[in-house]
Amino acid sequence: MKEESSEDWTPLGAHRYRFEAPDLFVIRVVGDVSLSDTQAMFERIETLSGKAGRPIFWLSDISGLGQVTPDARKFPLALDATRWLRATVVFGGNFHQRLVANLVMKAIPLLRPSRQMRPLSFFPTEAEARAYVEAERRGGGSSS
């Protein structure tokens, strides 16, 4: 894992992200997540996927997650992010934070049954989350 420095990260509201070639969007969520935050995240994912020429992995550190506004939770329902996302991988966070993230992702297919979903996986640590991404890249998982 790379040593984290401030110039490696780009601000996205209060949150920080970076792209690790060839296909990894890494975000560190800090505090509350608003509708504009969610829109900006998906906008970055779409742009980076286009630059990569394929769907990318979204690695999200939710250990600093605060509240997620209702509008931010609903926004993904309007999207078909399967064109941009190969898998969403979440790490860190307490039980409540993982529950909120899981509920948002589980609501999409329930409210939009025709929507195909990419895998959503939760891990306690970043190392475990990155190991999962590497296994998926090698074709060891179902999202390949």
Side-chain angles (χ1 to χ4, degrees):
M1 182 171 67
K2 291 183 188 177
E3 186 66 29
E4 189 173 311
S5 70
S6 60
E7 54 271 352
D8 289 340
W9 296 88
T10 302
L12 190 140
H15 320 294
R16 303 181 323 268
Y17 78 93
R18 70 177 174 207
F19 183 73
E20 297 176 13
D23 59 2
L24 185 62
F25 173 76
V26 183
I27 189 156
R28 304 234 187 262
V29 179
V30 180
D32 296 344
V33 177
S34 68
L35 173 60
S36 63
D37 293 332
T38 303
Q39 290 168 327
M41 287 177 202
F42 278 99
E43 183 179 289
R44 298 301 187 288
I45 289 166
E46 180 180 10
T47 299
L48 293 167
S49 174
K51 287 180 181 178
R54 62 180 175 225
I56 62 175
F57 293 95
W58 180 357
L59 184 66
S60 184
D61 175 359
I62 64 166
S63 58
L65 177 67
Q67 299 295 314
V68 180
T69 67
D71 287 342
R73 290 193 302 263
K74 292 175 189 169
F75 180 75
L77 292 172
L79 301 176
D80 181 7
T82 59
R83 296 174 289 158
W84 316 311
L85 282 175
R86 184 166 171 191
T88 301
V89 185
V90 178
F91 69 92
N94 59 36
F95 175 77
H96 183 272
Q97 291 163 324
R98 289 189 308 270
L99 179 65
V100 168
N102 198 22
L103 287 173
V104 169
M105 296 304 290
K106 296 250 187 235
I108 295 170
L110 292 174
L111 298 172
R112 297 271 201 256
S114 63
R115 180 73 44 89
Q116 179 185 1
M117 290 301 298
R118 294 293 190 207
L120 170 65
S121 302
F122 290 90
F123 296 93
T125 68
E126 183 172 0
E128 291 169 289
R130 286 180 177 274
Y132 171 82
V133 169
E134 286 304 316
E136 288 294 305
R137 282 183 180 139
R138 291 190 306 270
S142 61
S143 66
S144 308

